[in-house]
Amino acid sequence: MVKKKTTIKDIANVLNISAAAVSKALHDDSRISDKTKKAVKQVAKNLNYQPNHLASALRSGKSNLVGVIVPRTNSNFFSSVIQNMEEVLNKAGYNIIITQSNESYKKECDNIDTLLFTQVDGIIASMANETVDLSYYEKVKSKGIPLILFDRGENDLNVDYIGINDYNSSHMIVEHLVKQGCKRIAHIGGFKRTRIFNNRIRGYVDALEKYNLPQDPELLIESSLTTEDGREKMIELLALKNRPDAVYVAGDYAALGAFQVLNEQNIRMPEDIALVGFGNEAFTAMVSPTITSIEQHSSEIGQQAAKTFLKHVKKESFTQTLNKIILNAELIIRDSSKKQ
């Protein structure tokens, strides 16, 4: 048997009143007596009535829902951003719907379609690695709802963006490794097509130039920055005739893969090869040796993204423009790179 969903009409039939009166009672309309409201709510509870939020959102033009798109949820950075974002939004009467792209452009497009169908009041997103075509994000803007990007975003969209200074962060890492006496520094980076990873690569290259260090193409590798990528790329670097004495990885999960290979091959960190990650995932402080990494201030990014959305919805009309909130990252120096 198919279980029939309880409707307002079912409640109205039990009480022998109109469906309109039931709807008003459920919304605490002042024109309905307290006695009727109490009776309606009791019958609704008895019949396990669940309001149709989508229909309500279509009628009112407001759902009090915010869509969130992240590349993955199994990351301390993204889970912390979501937690802090949700705390701010909940206090303002909003709930969030979390979706993940798994770094897939197609999945990201599906997520956007689902969130728009759900009538969310806004979307806060960090773009997938595969995303180059911005038309789906342009579709969000065309609907007139706020679009806020964090961590990964594109200037061409002309929307609000919250993140760290990726270029300066890379520069800071290379400078730290130079001070530790490293002279041949490799970079396992993300793909240049993604703005934040392009900025990290530029920061790395410019810092090498500043300190007159070799810019060997063999030492700069692009990847998806998964743990398996970190393993594969570390093996490639170790196979070079002239090995690096330091490896800077643009993501902590890939840094963990590189770390595993170095341990398996009995290569000492930092004595033989120094290692630096990016993201300050919890495990970087738990392994031995502990891994130097960049703290991205996820809590502040989440709060700022939520506050930016709330700022927009308070306006009767708004035009989105490129507005960046750039936070200064912090280098957390640990045993994997501390030679001196």
Side-chain angles (χ1 to χ4, degrees):
M1 292 179 64
V2 178
K3 189 174 180 181
K4 182 174 173 288
K5 187 176 179 181
T6 301
T7 67
I8 283 177
K9 286 184 179 178
D10 295 326
I11 300 171
N13 289 336
V14 171
L15 295 170
N16 198 26
I17 60 177
S18 69
V22 172
S23 178
K24 289 186 178 75
L26 290 171
H27 289 89
D28 283 318
D29 193 302
S30 59
R31 291 169 291 181
I32 302 296
S33 70
D34 289 341
K35 182 181 177 182
T36 302
K37 286 179 187 176
K38 186 176 179 181
V40 166
K41 289 175 182 177
Q42 185 59 55
V43 172
K45 184 178 179 182
N46 293 344
L47 296 179
N48 195 27
Y49 169 72
Q50 299 293 325
N52 187 332
H53 290 294
L54 180 56
S56 177
L58 286 168
R59 285 193 301 270
S60 67
K62 187 172 176 61
S63 66
N64 285 96
L65 295 172
V66 179
V68 178
I69 305 172
V70 293
R72 59 186 181 278
T73 54
N74 67 339
S75 145
N76 182 61
F77 172 74
F78 287 116
S79 61
S80 175
V81 169
I82 290 168
Q83 179 185 342
N84 283 275
M85 191 187 296
E86 187 173 35
E87 285 176 5
V88 174
L89 292 172
N90 283 172
K91 287 177 184 175
Y94 288 89
N95 288 308
I96 66 173
I97 299 175
I98 303 165
T99 65
Q100 58 180 348
S101 65
N102 291 317
E103 304 290 10
S104 161
Y105 170 68
K106 183 182 183 306
K107 185 78 167 22
E108 187 172 69
C109 294
D110 290 343
N111 290 341
I112 290 171
D113 278 338
T114 299
L115 293 173
L116 291 177
F117 177 77
T118 312
Q119 301 289 314
V120 292
D121 294 333
I123 291 179
I124 302 174
S126 181
M127 296 168 70
N129 258 338
E130 288 184 3
T131 300
V132 177
D133 183 352
L134 303 178
S135 58
Y136 260 71
Y137 282 106
E138 290 288 358
K139 183 161 78 168
V140 175
K141 289 178 62 182
S142 72
K143 298 288 183 182
I145 65 172
L147 171 64
I148 292 97
L149 300 178
F150 72 93
D151 186 47
R152 305 183 197 172
E154 291 299 332
N155 294 345
D156 292 346
L157 279 170
N158 288 313
V159 296
D160 293 272
Y161 170 79
I162 299 97
I164 62 165
N165 192 318
D166 291 286
Y167 177 89
N168 284 356
S169 298
S170 276
H171 212 279
M172 194 188 328
I173 290 169
V174 173
E175 191 168 65
H176 161 67
L177 291 169
V178 169
K179 287 179 180 176
Q180 304 308 303
C182 300
K183 300 186 185 306
R184 189 165 167 78
I185 302 169
H187 180 43
I188 300 174
F191 294 111
K192 286 181 182 177
R193 64 173 180 253
T194 305
R195 187 185 56 79
I196 64 165
F197 297 125
N198 185 39
N199 286 343
R200 289 176 197 178
I201 289 170
R202 288 194 308 105
Y204 159 78
V205 170
D206 288 355
L208 291 182
E209 186 176 341
K210 177 181 176 180
Y211 291 102
N212 298 312
L213 293 177
Q215 295 187 36
D216 188 338
E218 290 183 316
L219 297 181
L220 175 56
I221 305 174
E222 295 179 51
S223 75
S224 296
L225 293 176
T226 63
T227 302
E228 189 54 42
D229 280 328
R231 290 186 61 86
E232 289 176 6
K233 306 311 179 188
M234 191 73 242
I235 290 169
E236 287 178 23
L237 289 171
L238 293 178
L240 295 176
K241 188 175 292 186
N242 189 5
R243 285 180 173 181
D245 58 8
V247 179
Y248 152 39
V249 190
D252 278 341
Y253 282 92
L256 179 62
F259 174 93
Q260 291 169 348
V261 169
L262 291 172
N263 268 340
E264 289 162 8
Q265 299 199 20
N266 296 314
I267 295 170
R268 299 172 303 163
M269 293 172 275
E271 294 85 357
D272 301 326
I273 295 180
L275 180 68
V276 178
F278 205 109
N280 201 27
E281 292 289 334
F283 62 77
T284 58
M286 298 175 183
V287 295
S288 181
T290 53
I291 302 173
T292 296
S293 191
I294 286 282
E295 169 57 51
Q296 296 177 266
H297 302 302
S298 54
S299 57
E300 190 171 352
I301 288 175
Q303 291 166 18
Q304 289 288 352
K307 288 175 182 176
T308 301
F309 162 76
L310 293 173
K311 178 185 71 177
H312 285 312
V313 293
K314 286 177 182 175
K315 302 174 184 175
E316 287 189 15
S317 63
F318 75 100
T319 302
Q320 287 208 257
T321 56
L322 180 62
N323 178 41
K324 292 185 177 183
I325 298 175
I326 304 298
L327 310 175
N328 289 319
E330 179 185 357
L331 182 63
I332 309 297
I333 299 172
R334 299 193 178 101
D335 297 338
S336 68
S337 69
K338 194 162 53 177
K339 291 187 178 184
Q340 299 172 5

